Amino acid sequence: MTEALAVPDPAGQLPAEVTSFVGRRFERSTVRELLSEYRLVTLTGFGGIGKTRLAMRMAAELRRVHPDGVCFVPLGALEVAEEVPDQVAASLGLTGRSPASSPAAIVDYLRERTMLLVLDNCEHVVDAAAVLAETVLRSCPTVRILATSREPLRVEGEVAHAVTPLSLPGGAGAGLQESEAVQLFLDRARASAPGFTLNNENRAAVAAICRKLEGIPLALELAAARLTTLSAYELEQGLTDRWELLSRGRRTAPHRQSTMAACIEWSFDLCTPAERRLWARVAVFVDGFEHDAVRVVCAAPDEAEPLLETLASLVDKSVLTATREGATTRFRMLPPLRQRGLAELERIGEATAVRQRHRDFHLDLVARAHAAWLGADQLGWIDRVRRELGNITEALEQCVADPQATAAGLRACGHLLEYVHILGLFRQGRRWAEHLLAVASDDVDARVRALRAATAWATIQGDLPAATALLAEAEELAGPGYGELQTLLVQAAGLVAQYAGQLEESERLLVEADRRFTRTGELAEAAHCRMLLVITAVLRDQPDRALEFHRSCLALTEPVGEGWVRSWSLWAAGIAEWMRGDTAAGQRMLAQCLRLERAMAERIGIGSVMEAMAWTLAHGDPERAVVLMGATQNEWERVGAAIDALPGFAVRHREAEATARAQLGDVRYDEAHARGRALDQAAAIALCLGERAAPPVAAVPKPVLTRRERQIAELIHQGLTNREIADALVISTRTAEGHVEHILTKLGFTSRTQVAAWVAEQHLAEGRS
C-alpha cells in the first residue's frame, strides 16, 4: 500500500483564540484526568455551553504530551454525514495520493502516531463520527479522541463528560469576582463597551444577569454585547424567560451559534419527530418534573417509541438535564428551550390537552399529599411539594383561568394549608386563595376549605382584620348543615382567637374542635387542635396544662412518625418547662424540636425555636441569646411573619431583650445582634443546638477547599468509597476520584485516612471556637 502523505495544513491546526478563556479550572483538570484513562472523551452539553472552547483549550494544554501533535477537525459546517472521513483526512493534511479510501488513509497515517484528534460538533453527523472514531480507536492504539457533541457518540470505550454552565455569583452580589459567569461577562463587556467596570451601582444587576442567563457562556457573551446601547440595569430588566435581548450575535459566527434562537433551532432540527413532540409536551412543566409526572402528562397511547427512551434521548441531546435528588431523578429544561417547546406545543395543537393533564396531575398530587399528612411519609411529601411549587402554582393559575376547574383549585388550596406554613409561603398562599375565590363557584365545600386556609395564613401573618372577614364569609357559607366544615371552622376560630389574645375562648373552641374530630376519626385535625392547645396554655401562663395537652398530642403523632405537629407541640412544651423553672428540660425539648424543623426546612419554625432558645439563654448566656435573636430576625423577614403576631410571646421577646441588654450594654448587644444577622441559617441552627459557636464574621477564614471538595471530604470522613461518593453526588466515579486527588494535593496528604482525620479535627476545632 502506498503511504499517504501528510502535508502541513492550517486546517488541522488549533484555531487561534481571539478572546480570553475564562474559568473552568476544575473542569479542565477533570477532562485531563479522563483523557489520561480513556481514549475517547466526549464533551456533551447544550449549544452555547462552551464545549468547543473547552475542547480547544484542552487540546492546547495537552499538545506537549502528544509527540505527533493535535489535530482539530471542525465538523459543524458539513452538510452530509458521508463527508466526515474526508474532513478528518483534510484536517490531517492527507493529500489523497493513495488510492485508499479516506478511512483507510486516516488509519494508515495514524496507526504509528501518538496524537490527539479533536472532533468538534459531531451532533448532526453523530453516526458517521461514531463509526470513524471506533475505527481509529481499534486500529490506532496511541491515538486519543476528544469529541464535542450535544449527545454521546455511544462508542465502546467512550466516556461522556457533561459540560456545565459557569459558576454563578452568590446572593446579594456576594463573591462576584469569584464567579466564572461574572468573570466572562465582565471580560466580554469590556470588549464591547470599553471602560465598563463593576461598581456599587451595577453589582446587583450584573449578578442578576448572570443568574438569569444560568451561566451559559454564549448567552453571557450575547448579553455583554448589548451594553453598547443598554446599561447593566436596563439589560437585566429586559431579560425574560425568552431572553429576547439575545437575538443579535456575531456576524462571523456559525449560524447555529450566532444567536440563542439559532442555537435552539439547531438543536430542535437534530431531534426526531418523537423527540420534538416530547420536548413540546414536557415544556408545560415549571422548574422540572419527575418520572411519575411525565408518564401521566406526556404519554400518548398511540406513540410507537417508548416514552422513557425518548426522554433519555432528550437528556443525551442536552435538551434536558437530569439530576438525582435523593432517590428521585428530576429533569429540568432551560427557560429558552422551554419557550421553544411551548411554541411547538401550540403549533401541533396539543397545548390545551397537555396543560389540562399537567393541571390534573398536580392537583391530584396535592390531594395525595394532604391525605398522607399524618404519617411517617410526611417529610417526603413536604420535600415533594417543595420541589413542585412551580408546577402547583401553574396548576392553580390554570384553575383560575378555567371556571370548570375552579372548585378543584379551591379544594387544592385548602389541602395546602400546612404546606404553605412549612414552606413560608403565606403571601403566595393568600394570593392563590384570593384569585380562586374571585371566580364564582357553587361548590360550598371547596370554597369553605379555601377560606379556612386563607384565614389561617392571614392570622399567622398577624392580619387579624382580614382573617376575621375570611372566617365570617366561610361561616356564612357553611351554615349549620355542614358538620365537618363547621368543625374545621371552629378550629379556625380557635386559632384567630389565640392570635387576638382571647385565650379562654381559644381554648374552649379548640377543645370542642378536638372532641368532634376525635369522634369522627379525623386524627390529623385532632392532633393539630391539641398542638394549638399547648400554645394557648403557654400563652395563658399555665405550663402544667400545656404539658398535659402536649402529652395528648404526642399520643396521636409519635406512634405514626408524624413530625410537623409534634415539632410545634415540642416548641410550646419546651417553653412550658422553662416557665416551670426547668431550663435544661426546656432546652432539650427545644433542641428536639429544632432537629425536626431542620429536617423540614421550615423557616418560621426554625425562627420560632431560635427565638425561644434565646429567651432561655438571656440570663445565663446573654451574648449567645442576642446572636440568636439577630439570626431569628432573618427568618421572620424571609417568611413575612413574626413572633410579635402572638401578643404573649412578644412580651417574652422584649423581656429577654431587656435582660440581655442590661448585662451586655448597648455596644456589645448591638455587635452580637449584628453577628446574628450575618449568620446563614445552617450556622444559626448549629449555634442554637450548641454544635459550634459562631465566630465573628470577620474572623471566618477563607476555606482551603472548594465547596464541592469540602462536601467530598465530609463523605470521606463518613467512610464512603469513591463509587459511593459518586452515587451520592450523581457524578461519575472518575470525577469523584479526581476530586479526592485534588483534596489530597491541597492538604498535602497521601491517604484518605488522613483526610478523614483532618475533617474530624476541623469539627473539634469548630466545637471549641
Side-chain angles (χ1 to χ4, degrees):
M1 172 183 273
T2 303
E3 183 178 354
L5 297 178
V7 178
D9 187 340
Q13 303 303 310
L14 290 175
E17 292 185 330
V18 296
T19 57
S20 60
F21 185 89
V22 175
R24 299 203 185 278
R25 180 177 300 173
F26 175 74
E27 198 152 25
R28 282 150 52 196
S29 175
T30 299
V31 174
R32 190 182 298 111
E33 290 170 358
L34 290 174
L35 278 167
S36 70
E37 183 171 349
Y38 300 92
R39 293 181 55 218
L40 170 58
V41 175
T42 302
L43 305 180
T44 63
F46 175 70
I49 203 71
K51 301 184 296 295
T52 296
R53 286 301 302 270
L54 178 58
M56 289 167 54
R57 173 50 61 103
M58 295 310 306
E61 292 179 357
L62 293 169
R63 205 193 301 254
R64 60 184 176 80
V65 297
H66 293 86
D68 295 305
V70 172
C71 181
F72 182 83
V73 185
L75 301 177
L78 298 188
E79 297 291 339
V80 293
E82 289 77 7
E83 296 176 352
V84 168
D86 295 335
Q87 179 72 2
V88 174
S91 296
L92 287 169
L94 302 180
T95 63
R97 288 187 183 181
S98 168
S101 64
S102 291
I106 292 166
V107 168
D108 192 36
Y109 175 72
L110 293 176
R111 184 175 285 117
E112 303 299 328
R113 286 175 165 80
T114 300
M115 198 169 191
L116 176 65
L117 201 60
V118 180
L119 303 180
D120 187 46
N121 289 122
C122 298
E123 54 268 2
H124 63 305
V125 289
V126 66
D127 291 338
V131 169
L132 183 105
E134 188 168 34
T135 300
V136 169
L137 292 176
R138 290 184 182 279
S139 306
C140 310
T142 54
V143 171
R144 295 182 184 276
I145 300 174
L146 179 61
T148 74
S149 177
R150 300 191 189 188
E151 61 179 308
L153 303 187
R154 295 194 184 89
V155 170
E156 184 179 354
E158 174 191 37
V159 61
H161 173 77
V163 179
T164 58
L166 298 176
S167 63
L168 296 173
L176 279 182
Q177 301 292 353
E178 298 176 2
S179 160
E180 294 174 337
V182 171
Q183 291 170 20
L184 179 66
F185 181 80
L186 292 177
D187 182 85
R188 303 306 189 257
R190 289 165 188 143
S192 299
F196 182 87
T197 58
L198 190 67
N199 54 46
N200 289 334
E201 285 71 35
N202 62 25
R203 289 175 65 85
V206 168
I209 289 167
C210 294
R211 285 193 290 267
K212 282 186 175 182
L213 298 180
E214 312 267 351
I216 298 174
L218 176 59
L220 292 166
E221 292 187 355
L222 294 173
R226 302 307 298 266
L227 291 175
T228 56
T229 56
L230 297 171
S231 70
Y233 175 78
E234 290 168 332
L235 176 59
E236 188 270 326
Q237 291 295 303
L239 287 173
T240 68
D241 285 349
R242 294 180 177 83
W243 296 355
E244 293 99 332
L245 288 177
L246 309 187
S247 59
R248 294 177 60 192
R250 303 189 309 276
R251 289 190 178 92
T252 56
H255 174 68
R256 68 184 179 280
Q257 292 179 349
S258 61
T259 69
M260 284 303 298
C263 197
I264 293 166
E265 208 59 36
W266 171 262
S267 288
F268 192 77
D269 290 342
L270 292 174
C271 289
T272 66
E275 291 165 353
R276 293 176 191 175
R277 283 193 299 273
L278 188 57
W279 179 342
R281 290 170 185 165
V282 298
V284 298
F285 292 103
V286 182
D287 294 337
F289 58 92
E290 296 170 14
H291 278 113
D292 57 347
V294 76
R295 288 191 191 97
V296 173
V297 176
C298 300
D302 57 343
E303 296 276 333
E305 191 169 344
L307 181 139
L308 294 185
E309 289 185 15
T310 308
L311 188 69
S313 295
L314 290 180
V315 174
D316 283 344
K317 293 185 175 180
S318 305
V319 176
L320 294 171
T321 59
T323 55
R324 185 69 57 81
E325 299 184 7
T328 301
T329 301
R330 192 162 183 86
F331 301 90
R332 289 185 173 86
M333 180 183 286
L334 289 170
L337 299 180
R338 181 169 181 256
Q339 293 301 326
R340 180 62 182 90
L342 291 174
E344 178 68 7
L345 195 64
E346 292 286 349
R347 190 193 70 78
I348 63 179
E350 294 187 7
T352 299
V354 175
R355 285 185 185 279
Q356 286 178 351
R357 292 200 296 270
H358 173 277
R359 178 197 69 200
D360 294 344
F361 174 85
H362 290 96
L363 295 181
D364 178 67
L365 183 142
V366 168
R368 288 185 285 128
H370 173 71
W373 176 250
L374 190 73
D377 293 335
Q378 186 184 78
L379 189 58
W381 279 109
I382 291 169
D383 289 339
R384 183 65 190 271
V385 170
R386 181 181 281 113
R387 295 196 300 270
E388 301 296 351
L389 272 176
N391 288 312
I392 290 170
T393 299
E394 175 69 17
L396 293 176
E397 289 174 356
Q398 291 293 320
C399 292
V400 173
D402 181 2
Q404 293 184 343
T406 301
L410 288 164
R411 192 166 286 106
C413 205
H415 291 334
L416 287 165
L417 190 154
E418 292 87 359
Y419 291 100
V420 165
H421 193 294
I422 292 168
L423 301 177
L425 299 175
F426 299 107
R427 296 187 190 94
Q428 187 169 343
R430 291 181 68 182
R431 281 198 300 272
W432 289 339
E434 180 183 349
H435 294 165
L436 286 160
L437 289 166
V439 182
S441 173
D442 295 331
D443 193 320
V444 172
D445 183 274
R447 287 189 71 84
V448 169
R449 290 179 187 276
L451 284 164
R452 175 232 184 185
T455 297
W457 300 331
T459 301
I460 294 165
Q461 284 194 301
D463 189 355
L464 289 180
T468 303
L470 290 163
L471 179 60
E473 183 180 349
E475 289 173 337
E476 183 179 353
L477 266 178
Y482 293 86
E484 182 185 356
L485 293 183
Q486 281 287 357
T487 306
L488 289 172
L489 297 181
V490 170
Q491 181 198 59
L495 177 67
V496 174
Q498 183 188 84
Y499 274 71
Q502 301 164 0
L503 300 178
E504 187 174 345
E505 176 67 2
S506 173
E507 181 173 320
R508 184 189 68 79
L509 291 166
L510 292 171
V511 167
E512 174 61 21
D514 176 26
R515 184 185 64 79
R516 294 190 197 180
F517 284 135
T518 303
R519 187 181 65 227
T520 58
E522 295 288 335
L523 298 185
E525 297 295 353
H528 198 149
C529 288
R530 295 178 190 184
M531 174 264 285
L532 292 173
L533 281 164
V534 185
I535 298 171
T536 297
V538 167
L539 289 169
R540 296 185 70 187
D541 290 324
Q542 297 176 343
D544 292 335
R545 189 158 174 77
L547 293 171
E548 181 184 337
F549 284 130
H550 173 62
R551 287 188 288 271
S552 71
C553 182
L554 292 184
L556 292 180
T557 56
E558 278 193 325
V560 296
E562 192 278 341
W564 182 74
V565 171
R566 181 159 46 110
S567 72
W568 281 99
S569 186
L570 279 165
W571 171 71
I575 297 172
E577 288 284 19
W578 168 65
M579 291 168 62
R580 295 172 71 234
D582 194 341
T583 300
Q587 290 176 345
R588 284 195 298 272
M589 281 188 165
L590 291 173
Q592 187 179 351
C593 169
L594 185 53
R595 292 186 182 96
L596 289 171
E597 291 289 351
R598 178 165 58 181
M600 292 181 286
E602 181 186 19
R603 284 198 177 276
I604 191 170
I606 290 168
S608 296
V609 182
M610 292 195 300
E611 173 78 31
M613 189 70 82
W615 302 343
T616 72
L617 293 167
H619 278 285
D621 192 350
E623 187 163 350
R624 183 177 166 205
V626 176
V627 173
L628 286 176
M629 288 182 189
T632 299
Q633 188 62 34
N634 296 334
E635 305 303 321
W636 298 145
E637 290 175 359
R638 289 186 180 103
V639 299
I643 202 73
D644 291 353
L646 278 167
F649 291 145
V651 171
R652 298 193 183 281
H653 173 86
R654 290 192 292 271
E655 290 173 348
E657 184 181 59
T659 298
R661 191 180 291 275
Q663 295 180 76
L664 297 174
D666 290 343
V667 174
R668 287 182 62 196
Y669 181 97
D670 292 342
E671 289 175 349
H673 197 275
R675 290 206 306 276
R677 294 282 279 170
L679 291 179
D680 62 20
Q681 188 187 80
I685 291 173
L687 175 64
C688 189
L689 292 174
E691 294 175 349
R692 62 175 175 267
V697 175
V700 178
K702 187 173 182 179
V704 175
L705 304 181
T706 66
R707 182 179 178 183
R708 175 65 94 180
E709 288 166 350
R710 291 197 304 273
Q711 188 178 22
I712 288 176
E714 288 287 350
L715 296 176
I716 292 173
H717 174 60
Q718 294 171 23
L720 273 67
T721 66
N722 287 346
R723 180 175 293 278
E724 289 169 337
I725 290 171
D727 290 342
L729 300 179
V730 198
I731 57 177
S732 71
T733 303
R734 185 58 187 164
T735 300
E737 292 169 353
H739 280 300
V740 173
E741 289 300 322
H742 279 288
I743 292 168
L744 292 171
T745 300
K746 284 186 175 182
L747 298 179
F749 294 155
T750 57
S751 72
R752 295 164 60 92
T753 303
Q754 289 174 296
V755 175
W758 178 82
V759 172
E761 289 173 2
Q762 298 302 303
H763 290 172
L764 286 173
E766 289 167 349
R768 290 192 298 267
S769 62

